[in-house]
Amino acid sequence: MQKKFGMAYIVDRCVDCKACMVACKAEWDVPEDHFRTHIHTGIKPEKREKPSMDFLPHQCNHCDVAPCVTVCPTKASHKREDGIVFVTRSKCVGCKYCIASCPYDARFFNHDIGVAEKCTFCLPRALEGKEPACATTCPGNVRVFGDLNDPESEISVLLKDAAEKRLNVWKLRTDLGTEPNIFYVKK
Amino acid sequence: MEFQEAFEWYVAAYLFLAGVGAGAIVAAALADMYDREKYLSFIKAASVIGMPLVSIGIGFLYIDLGQGFWKPWLLILLFANPTSAITWGTAILTLFTLFSLVYGAYNLGFIKFSGGNTMRWLLIITGVLTAGYTAVLLGVLKAIPFWHQTALPILFIISATSTGISGAMLVKEVFFKNHDHLGKIESTHMYLLILEIFLLAGMFLIALQGVPEMKYSAMSLLTGKFALEFWLFLVFGGLLIPAVAFALAEGGKMKISGGKLVLFEVLVLVGGYFLRHLIIHAGVYTQKFTEYLH
Ligand code: SF4
Ligand code: SF4
């Protein structure tokens, strides 16, 4: 069966160490002022006696119905058969339309080479059967990467288990119809 | 809330110049069909700016493209994806530029054949599409709610026609030194400005009731980060002052010609640029996602 790559974050394991961001930057030579993956911070003000913080990893969602792919005039941005949304640099004219189109603010303009950029699930590593650099580096094992179509893969097992235990599993902004492939799990 | 930073002033300049060029030609073609003799000076003036401004606008777009200048062969790929509004725009702009080149050459006496009424209709259709498409480009993006509004293309078409008339009037006055009284065009211009004011007001009233991002964009213009430019260059300078002046002229209470005319037309043009500049810069992405943690 055709592979379909996705990622799940077990969010309550994230300690905001940002090792993923650094690993990604090192792997992909991302320009100084940008990151391909971020950690957002949320504070729970309602529990005032004991304020708590949450950390939300965030990156390209490799949407099934990806606005960035719809709007790209050159087809540089495209959805691969394995589910990865990829930007072919040699075709990208640098119009930035995809950047404005992404509701997840997952893309940025790489001024050094004049093209749009974002997370690619570390495509060359994925093709070798390895995890993306962020997942390998994460000390908390927050990031679980794999083939959603393979019931034996770690991510499928995690999602199945989470469903059975009725854990809180969600995706971002499903109301926009983008069909994202990043899952958030709270254990 | 996060303001978009992908599109900057180059894109605003492109949208503005394409609008003025297209608007001028649409107004000229309409005037041409109505009474060519009477409006000839206006038609000629519009021909001088129509195609060139659209081309300069496209030039701004190329400068903005990360790769347009270095790898020009990539530009052909702008036709590659039928789902992309840029692809639609490229096709529309190409047609409009060709048609307006022929029309301009005819009006300025370089060639003898104008293509007749068919050409005029083609110019009106592709011209309106050129002006409207610049807003559709923004409007199809769900990621930025403030742009995702049906009113935007209508607003841009009206503003393009109004700035197009201003551009042509300006050229007529300054370069052709022709002071023909073009009553119909002047009153049309006044009504366009009034329509634009109402449309803009309506768009803001609706935006203020919209999703938080939309409201935030609207507030950034009304009272926030961009308020000074919004009120000064767009609302007062670009719309209210010229509208009032043209209305006074219409009622015979003021005579607008020479220096005064130039001033009001320049104000309309500055307003037209700021309309695009401000709408682009006030674009805010859909919400950040930390609230999903709770
Ligand atoms: S998250 Fe953004 S960049 Fe990634 S596939 Fe979806 S729309 Fe495209
Ligand atoms: S910047 Fe590149 S990838 Fe993005 S829409 Fe334009 S051509 Fe496509």
Side-chain angles (χ1 to χ4, degrees):
Chain A
M1 198 190 205
Q2 179 61 52
K3 282 185 163 51
K4 184 181 181 191
F5 289 117
M7 195 185 272
Y9 304 126
I10 305 169
V11 278
D12 35 8
R13 288 182 180 170
C14 178
V15 293
D16 196 23
C17 71
K18 298 187 169 68
C20 51
M21 292 168 69
V22 177
C24 171
K25 239 182 143 117
E27 184 83 17
W28 291 106
D29 203 11
V30 178
E32 225 173 276
D33 47 342
H34 292 289
F35 289 91
R36 288 185 182 190
T37 186
H38 305 258
I39 307 293
H40 292 317
T41 305
I43 301 170
K44 279 184 189 162
E46 64 269 22
K47 292 186 187 164
R48 236 171 258 130
E49 71 287 1
K50 213 176 146 202
S52 76
M53 259 179 156
D54 286 301
F55 308 110
L56 187 81
H58 176 245
Q59 61 174 72
C60 168
N61 285 258
H62 296 276
C63 310
D64 284 346
V65 186
C68 60
V69 170
T70 311
V71 304
C72 172
T74 65
K75 293 198 172 167
S77 285
H78 61 281
K79 177 94 175 159
R80 290 167 45 95
E81 289 204 330
D82 56 17
I84 294 178
V85 172
F86 193 72
V87 187
T88 307
R89 284 183 175 174
S90 61
K91 278 191 179 177
C92 171
V93 69
C95 68
K96 311 183 185 84
Y97 202 20
C98 56
I99 301 176
S101 80
C102 171
Y104 303 100
D105 198 6
R107 291 183 169 232
F108 59 88
F109 192 64
N110 184 331
H111 283 278
D112 300 342
I113 49 177
V115 300
E117 240 195 74
K118 65 169 194 76
C119 156
T120 62
F121 274 160
C122 284
L123 180 63
R125 295 174 61 99
L127 294 179
E128 284 175 28
K130 291 193 209 154
E131 292 182 309
C134 56
T136 307
T137 308
C138 177
N141 281 333
V142 173
R143 291 164 180 254
V144 178
F145 173 77
D147 179 7
L148 294 165
N149 282 345
D150 171 7
E152 308 287 307
S153 69
E154 195 186 343
I155 185 167
S156 299
V157 173
L158 169 75
L159 292 175
K160 188 161 162 267
D161 184 53
E164 273 164 12
K165 292 190 183 138
R166 294 175 187 268
L167 298 180
N168 190 4
V169 179
W170 74 99
K171 300 186 197 182
L172 297 182
R173 294 305 301 252
T174 42
D175 55 318
L176 297 170
T178 49
E179 310 274 339
N181 283 300
I182 297 274
F183 298 81
Y184 291 80
V185 181
K186 209 155 188 183
K187 282 213 159 170
Chain B
M1 300 279 174
E2 197 106 338
F3 284 107
Q4 69 83 24
E5 283 171 2
F7 289 166
E8 294 187 66
W9 75 268
Y10 280 122
V11 177
Y14 157 58
L15 303 186
F16 168 67
L17 292 169
V20 180
I25 293 291
V26 169
L30 287 169
D32 192 344
M33 294 212 269
Y34 189 71
D35 188 343
R36 181 171 177 85
E37 281 304 294
K38 182 158 183 227
Y39 297 112
L40 197 59
S41 59
F42 178 82
I43 295 170
K44 282 191 178 165
S47 302
V48 173
I49 59 169
M51 201 289 276
L53 283 190
V54 173
S55 305
I56 297 171
I58 296 174
F60 272 99
L61 183 64
Y62 285 176
I63 301 173
D64 183 63
L65 293 180
Q67 305 266 42
F69 272 125
W70 327 122
K71 300 186 184 164
W73 60 90
L74 284 175
L75 296 175
I76 197 73
L77 289 177
L78 292 179
F79 289 105
N81 185 5
T83 61
S84 171
I86 291 191
T87 303
W88 312 334
T90 313
I92 293 167
L93 278 170
T94 308
L95 289 176
F96 177 73
T97 312
L98 289 174
F99 296 153
S100 51
L101 188 64
V102 175
Y103 186 60
Y106 167 72
N107 288 328
L108 300 171
F110 295 115
I111 55 169
K112 291 247 160 335
F113 179 67
S114 78
N117 257 348
T118 316
M119 179 59 103
R120 290 184 202 114
W121 276 114
L122 286 174
L123 282 166
I124 292 167
I125 294 166
T126 51
V128 169
L129 288 177
T130 300
Y133 136 78
T134 56
V136 171
L137 180 81
L138 305 178
V140 295
L141 303 180
K142 270 198 232 169
I144 297 176
F146 189 58
W147 296 351
H148 194 54
Q149 299 193 63
T150 322
L152 212 56
I154 306 169
L155 187 67
F156 274 31
I157 290 170
I158 293 174
S159 156
T161 315
S162 147
T163 51
I165 292 177
S166 286
M169 285 293 207
L170 206 61
V171 171
K172 177 184 85 76
E173 194 70 25
V174 177
F175 297 102
F176 287 55
K177 305 265 181 262
N178 176 314
H179 308 301
D180 282 359
H181 189 70
L182 304 178
K184 278 255 160 32
I185 295 185
E186 278 155 16
S187 38
T188 308
H189 200 180
M190 179 195 77
Y191 287 119
L192 284 173
L193 285 169
I194 293 171
L195 203 60
E196 199 177 328
I197 293 168
F198 279 114
L199 205 61
L200 200 66
M203 210 177 104
F204 272 91
L205 287 175
I206 291 171
L208 289 173
Q209 309 302 321
V211 293
E213 296 88 344
M214 205 166 178
K215 202 170 156 190
Y216 190 83
S217 287
M219 290 308 286
S220 78
L221 293 169
L222 295 176
T223 58
K225 195 172 166 190
F226 306 109
L228 188 67
E229 293 152 281
F230 176 78
W231 290 107
L232 198 64
F233 295 124
L234 177 56
V235 178
F236 286 108
L239 294 169
L240 287 176
I241 294 175
V244 169
F246 291 151
L248 288 175
E250 186 81 5
K253 297 212 170 57
M254 185 165 137
K255 205 172 140 24
I256 302 182
S257 63
K260 258 196 234 154
L261 181 73
V262 171
L263 171 74
F264 292 127
E265 304 298 12
V266 168
L267 282 178
V268 173
L269 287 167
V270 171
Y273 171 76
F274 271 91
L275 175 73
R276 277 109 183 138
H277 181 96
L278 291 169
I279 285 183
I280 283 188
H281 283 83
V284 167
Y285 283 115
T286 48
Q287 294 251 49
K288 287 293 184 196
F289 311 108
T290 35
E291 75 268 30
Y292 283 76
L293 287 164
H294 312 315

